[in-house]
Amino acid sequence: MKLPGQDAIARQADERVATHRVKLPKKIVEHPFRQVAKRVALALALLVATALIVYADHEGYNDNSDSAVDLLDAFYYATVSLSTTGYGDITPVSDAARLTNIFVITPLRVLFLIILVGTTLEVLTERTREEWRLTRWRSSLRDHTVVVGFGTKGRSAIQTVIATGLSKDQVVVVDPSSKVIDAAVADGYAGVVGDATRSEVLRRAEVHKARKIIIATQRDDTAVLVTLTARQLNRGAKIVAAVREEENAPLLKQSGADAVITSASAAGRLLGLSVLSPAAGMVLEDLIQQGSGLDIIERPVIKAEVGKSPRQTEDLVVSVVRGHRVLGYDDPDVGTLELTDRLITIVRATPGSQVAPDDRRLPPGMQPI
């Protein structure tokens, strides 16, 4: 089995520039560049206003070079005055000009300095605050979920995990596209920009401390490299990967993936089932959408269920997980439930607020015959 582009993987990995960067979710009122641009525009407006004020009363000023003060001299005086340079070559000599300097030029000078110095201090403060947030985030992040790839598969995987009760601050998204990470950060997730096949990028996502890793890349060869790198950094994490071609699934498992989902085959099987039975297709689609209608979940066996058969429990049991084996509910090897077993059950999500699959109308033209 030969993966597409396998021969060029090592060369591409060396040529990629390490532009990885961690981005934490935050409320952004306005883009920083736009804020700076507004402040620069305001400072220029103050400069122009000061120059016009000086030029309006240019007869009250004296220029040591030629005595007269024209428009250029007014702008020159405004610049050196607001910046507190003050060469003294142009000075107010009349009472009106001096009063204007006291009550108008001086407040404008203070405001001008506040804008410039305030912008610098705010930038430095923001950088310090961001570094502090990043340090605190790294120190507190434990047992989180890392999602590599924020495309359709990655987004759907995150939505499913979040629907089970996982907090958004326990999810870290890794993607090579800065725009994609910006979208993930806007949704409330922490993001790392970079190539996930590089161990440095995965370390920035704290993969070595993660409990679950979801690999939803666009290419199968990339998924293999990411799985190998992630498993090397974290031996105990549960890794689930998606591949397009079914023939690549064994390679993913050999690379360290605990479970491999073949996206193309799974979609094809769902299409085939929907053709044979639209209602069955709707039920199956509802089962894999966590938080609505019917949900399929895994839970431990409670003490009251020990010694009973799967059919004697209150929930609809589909399978029993015993050790490393997944047994059907009617498998003779199940016998009675044990305390160490786990049950795969079908339950209704948020009773009373969701619509069951059998209550929904089938699409036109797909009514059962």
Side-chain angles (χ1 to χ4, degrees):
M1 189 276 299
K2 183 177 181 181
L3 296 174
Q6 190 175 21
D7 297 336
I9 291 176
R11 184 176 68 257
Q12 291 176 355
D14 294 335
E15 292 176 352
R16 288 168 183 163
V17 180
T19 57
H20 40 275
R21 176 187 173 191
V22 179
K23 294 185 179 181
L24 300 181
K26 60 181 179 180
K27 295 181 179 179
I28 301 179
V29 179
E30 193 174 21
H31 197 280
F33 289 110
R34 188 174 299 174
Q35 293 182 2
V36 173
K38 282 187 176 181
R39 296 189 181 192
V40 171
L42 181 57
L44 291 176
L46 291 176
L47 179 63
V48 172
T50 303
L52 294 179
I53 292 174
V54 172
Y55 184 71
D57 190 24
H58 62 278
E59 294 181 355
Y61 292 82
N62 179 58
D63 188 351
N64 294 336
S65 61
D66 56 4
S67 299
V69 176
D70 56 14
L71 184 59
L72 178 60
D73 294 332
F75 273 95
Y76 168 75
Y77 176 79
T79 301
V80 298
S81 179
L82 293 183
S83 62
T84 67
T85 304
Y87 293 115
D89 48 353
I90 299 178
T91 57
V93 293
S94 68
D95 293 341
R98 291 179 177 179
L99 288 174
T100 302
N101 268 263
I102 294 174
F103 295 106
V104 180
I105 304 300
T106 299
L108 289 177
R109 180 186 300 114
V110 174
L111 183 58
F112 185 84
L113 293 176
I114 289 176
I115 293 173
L116 295 184
V117 177
T119 301
T120 303
L121 291 177
E122 185 172 346
V123 170
L124 294 177
T125 303
E126 180 63 26
R127 289 183 179 178
T128 304
R129 186 186 300 115
E130 189 67 21
E131 289 295 329
W132 180 79
R133 289 183 67 220
L134 185 58
T135 301
R136 185 179 63 175
W137 173 76
R138 291 186 184 281
S139 61
S140 62
L141 196 62
R142 293 287 188 282
D143 297 331
H144 57 290
T145 299
V146 176
V147 180
V148 179
F150 199 61
T152 302
K153 291 180 293 185
R155 290 174 185 265
S156 299
I158 293 179
Q159 292 172 359
T160 300
V161 174
I162 294 296
T164 61
L166 183 68
S167 175
K168 287 187 175 183
D169 57 11
Q170 283 292 305
V171 176
V172 181
V173 178
V174 181
D175 198 280
S177 173
S178 179
K179 292 183 179 179
V180 171
I181 292 301
D182 288 340
V185 172
D187 289 341
Y189 309 111
V192 178
V193 181
D195 181 7
T197 61
R198 302 172 65 92
S199 58
E200 177 62 23
V201 175
L202 293 182
R203 286 194 186 97
R204 288 180 176 269
E206 303 295 318
V207 163
H208 55 285
K209 297 187 294 184
R211 175 179 294 181
K212 301 174 184 178
I213 302 173
I214 300 174
I215 301 175
T217 58
Q218 299 297 324
R219 295 168 57 95
D220 289 0
D221 53 353
T222 304
V224 172
L225 286 176
V226 174
T227 303
L228 285 169
T229 307
R231 182 55 74 195
Q232 183 181 15
L233 295 175
N234 192 328
R235 297 292 181 180
K238 183 176 183 180
I239 300 180
V240 179
V243 293
R244 291 178 176 272
E245 302 298 333
E246 193 167 359
E247 63 178 4
N248 294 333
L251 183 57
L252 262 296
K253 291 184 178 180
Q254 293 175 8
S255 302
D258 297 291
V260 179
I261 306 300
T262 308
S263 57
S265 299
R269 284 189 286 268
L270 183 58
L271 285 173
L273 179 61
S274 299
V275 168
L276 298 175
S277 173
M282 292 175 63
V283 172
L284 185 58
E285 185 179 1
D286 181 79
L287 286 175
I288 62 178
Q289 291 182 353
Q290 291 289 326
S292 63
L294 299 176
D295 284 351
I296 183 167
I297 64 171
E298 179 180 343
R299 67 169 179 83
V301 172
I302 61 177
K303 292 183 178 180
E305 296 171 336
V306 175
K308 296 182 179 180
S309 67
R311 293 185 177 182
Q312 291 177 324
T313 62
E314 295 183 359
D315 294 339
L316 179 59
V317 177
V318 178
S319 300
V320 178
V321 181
R322 179 168 293 170
H324 296 286
R325 296 189 302 166
V326 180
L327 306 173
Y329 72 94
D330 57 348
D331 194 311
D333 292 340
V334 174
T336 57
L337 297 176
E338 302 174 2
L339 190 59
T340 56
D341 291 341
R342 297 186 66 85
L343 303 179
I344 306 297
T345 66
I346 296 177
V347 298
R348 182 172 297 281
T350 58
S353 62
Q354 302 294 341
V355 179
D358 53 354
D359 292 336
R360 293 184 296 180
R361 295 178 60 87
L362 293 175
M366 299 187 64
Q367 299 294 336
I369 300 177

